[in-house]
């Protein structure tokens, strides 16, 4: 029984990783005739970089789809295998976005997928993280700063909302987001980080 459960968790992890690996930013950029997103702006495959092309619809669809793939991975895993599988799926879907097999393991920074997984795991926590992102973005107009704040505070929100079972996962995801934002952190310190909506 244990071996079967372990195998099913591994299957959930693998499928969630593959779903997370779908590069919707690149897909949207091609569908809208925007060119190769990896050659535009920061070269990132996420919604913020799509927005730098000036196409708000493509950026919005990228945001929604990148969040949805994390959320869907969590909800499907939970439905069939329970909460442990949901957390495993959340983590591996996030890894898939950041290190996608379809792009030679060179992916995005995972913010939308991070928010989508939190919304699916526990919607109050997801809303708190989204609100943190929105508040910081509205004040400073810097996407990376908003992402780092939302990620860093997510374990705190989990504790305050009575969700201790999600704290370890939230810490792990926050650490990976910080790792993926090393260059952004350097630019934030230098005062050269671009603001939201700035075209390439």
């Amino acid at each position: 029984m244990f071996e079967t459960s372990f195998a099913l968790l591994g299957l959930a992890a693998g499928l969630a990783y593959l779903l997370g690996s779908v590069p919707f930013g690149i897909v949207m950029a091609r569908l809208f005739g925007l060119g190769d997103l990896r050659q535009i702006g920061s070269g990132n495959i996420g919604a913020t970089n799509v927005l730098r092309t000036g196409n708000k619809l493509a950026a919005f669809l990228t945001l929604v789809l990148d969040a949805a793939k994390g959320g869907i991975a969590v909800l499907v895993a939970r439905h069939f295998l329970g909460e442990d599988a949901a957390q495993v799926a959340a983590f591996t879907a996030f890894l898939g976005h950041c290190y996608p097999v379809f792009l030679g393991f060179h992916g995005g920074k995972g913010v939308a997928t991070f928010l989508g997984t939190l919304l699916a795991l526990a919607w109050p926590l997801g809303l708190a993280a989204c609100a943190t992102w929105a508040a910081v973005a509205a004040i400073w107009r810097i996407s990376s700063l908003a992402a780092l704040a939302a990620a860093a505070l997510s374990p705190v929100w989990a504790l305050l909302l009575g969700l201790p079972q999600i704290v370890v996962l939230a810490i792990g995801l926050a650490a990976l987001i910080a790792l993926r934002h090393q260059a952004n952190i350097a630019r934030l310190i230098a005062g050269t980080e671009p603001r939201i909506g700035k075209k390439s």
Side-chain angles (χ1 to χ4, degrees):
M1 186 68 176
F2 175 80
E3 290 182 356
T4 301
S5 297
F6 188 80
L8 288 173
L9 284 175
L11 177 62
L15 292 175
Y17 170 80
L18 290 175
L19 179 58
S21 290
V22 178
F24 283 114
I26 289 179
V27 172
M28 290 300 107
R30 289 180 179 172
L31 284 177
F32 283 83
L34 305 175
D36 186 347
L37 193 59
R38 292 166 293 183
Q39 304 300 320
I40 297 170
S42 66
N44 186 41
I45 65 171
T48 299
N49 202 41
V50 177
L51 186 60
R52 292 191 179 104
T53 68
N55 193 311
K56 294 181 180 180
L57 177 58
F60 173 75
L61 291 174
T62 300
L63 176 67
V64 170
L65 291 169
D66 279 346
K69 67 186 181 183
I72 289 170
V74 168
L75 294 174
V76 171
R78 173 185 285 151
H79 177 75
F80 288 104
L81 297 171
E83 290 300 320
D84 288 344
Q87 291 207 30
V88 168
F91 189 74
T92 54
F94 179 85
L95 283 180
H97 180 82
C98 295
Y99 305 100
V101 65
F102 305 126
L103 297 177
F105 305 103
H106 299 292
K109 295 175 182 176
V111 180
T113 306
F114 164 75
L115 294 175
T117 59
L118 291 190
L119 284 166
L121 283 168
W123 65 263
L125 174 58
L127 287 181
C130 288
T132 302
W133 189 97
V136 174
I139 295 170
W140 284 284
R141 303 294 298 170
I142 301 176
S143 179
S144 60
L145 181 62
L148 290 164
L153 287 175
S154 62
V156 177
W157 292 132
L159 284 173
L160 292 175
L161 291 167
L163 299 165
Q165 71 276 14
I166 301 179
V167 170
V168 172
L169 174 64
I171 291 172
L173 294 177
L176 283 171
I177 284 179
L179 179 65
R180 299 294 291 170
H181 281 78
Q182 287 183 83
N184 303 85
I185 292 170
R187 289 193 295 269
L188 285 168
I189 294 172
T192 57
E193 182 74 341
R195 296 184 181 272
I196 293 172
K198 182 179 179 181
K199 293 186 180 182
S200 59

